Amino acid sequence: MIRSVLTLLAIYGLVCFILVSLHESLHFIAAKVFHLRPVFKINRFLLPMISYKNPGRDAQNLVVALSAPVGLIILGMLINSEIPYFGLAKILCLTNVANLLPITTDGEVIFLSVYNLIKENKT
């Protein structure tokens, strides 16, 4: 019983780590496309994160911020949840919808970029 619980926790942790790494990799690729010099770092929870030079271009910031949540949401819709443990990956991918909300880092960048783009078009 305890062994199976520990196994499930290990699998859950591995799936989470892989999806966080994929999330950050999608940000990295988008930032690389715009020549923003992205850099991978490891945070205090031993999870990957990305930082890049922010040139203040709202359209580029919007694409970089949207790349990971949208990419993982699409992946989540494509995953066959009937395969063991893929259901977990599907759920975790689809929870990236929360990253579109302005209470998250990605959502904040998305909100501010859209706001600034709208403001620029009105002037």
Side-chain angles (χ1 to χ4, degrees):
M1 168 81 173
I2 291 177
R3 179 176 281 181
S4 62
V5 169
L6 292 176
T7 302
L8 286 174
L9 285 174
I11 291 169
Y12 179 78
L14 181 62
V15 170
C16 286
F17 180 79
I18 289 169
L19 291 175
V20 168
S21 298
L22 179 59
H23 178 101
E24 294 303 319
S25 296
L26 291 171
H27 284 309
F28 184 89
I29 291 166
K32 196 78 165 162
V33 166
F34 292 120
H35 307 288
L36 301 177
R37 293 180 277 182
V39 176
F40 264 110
K41 297 179 180 179
I42 302 295
N43 70 13
R44 64 180 169 256
F45 302 110
L46 301 177
L47 293 172
M49 59 183 268
I50 183 173
S51 64
Y52 62 91
K53 185 179 186 311
N54 184 344
R57 294 188 202 110
D58 292 309
Q60 289 181 354
N61 288 336
L62 180 62
V63 172
V64 172
L66 276 172
S67 62
V70 170
L72 285 177
I73 290 167
I74 291 169
L75 178 62
M77 290 189 288
L78 297 174
I79 290 176
N80 180 358
S81 60
E82 294 182 20
I83 299 172
Y85 305 112
F86 277 45
L88 172 63
K90 181 179 189 95
I91 290 167
L92 292 174
C93 284
L94 293 175
T95 59
N96 270 268
V97 165
N99 282 323
L100 300 175
L101 300 173
I103 58 172
T104 64
T105 305
D106 290 341
E108 182 180 333
V109 172
I110 292 165
F111 176 78
L112 291 173
S113 298
V114 169
Y115 175 78
N116 288 336
L117 288 169
I118 291 170
K119 189 171 78 172
E120 284 176 14
N121 286 335
K122 287 189 175 183
T123 56

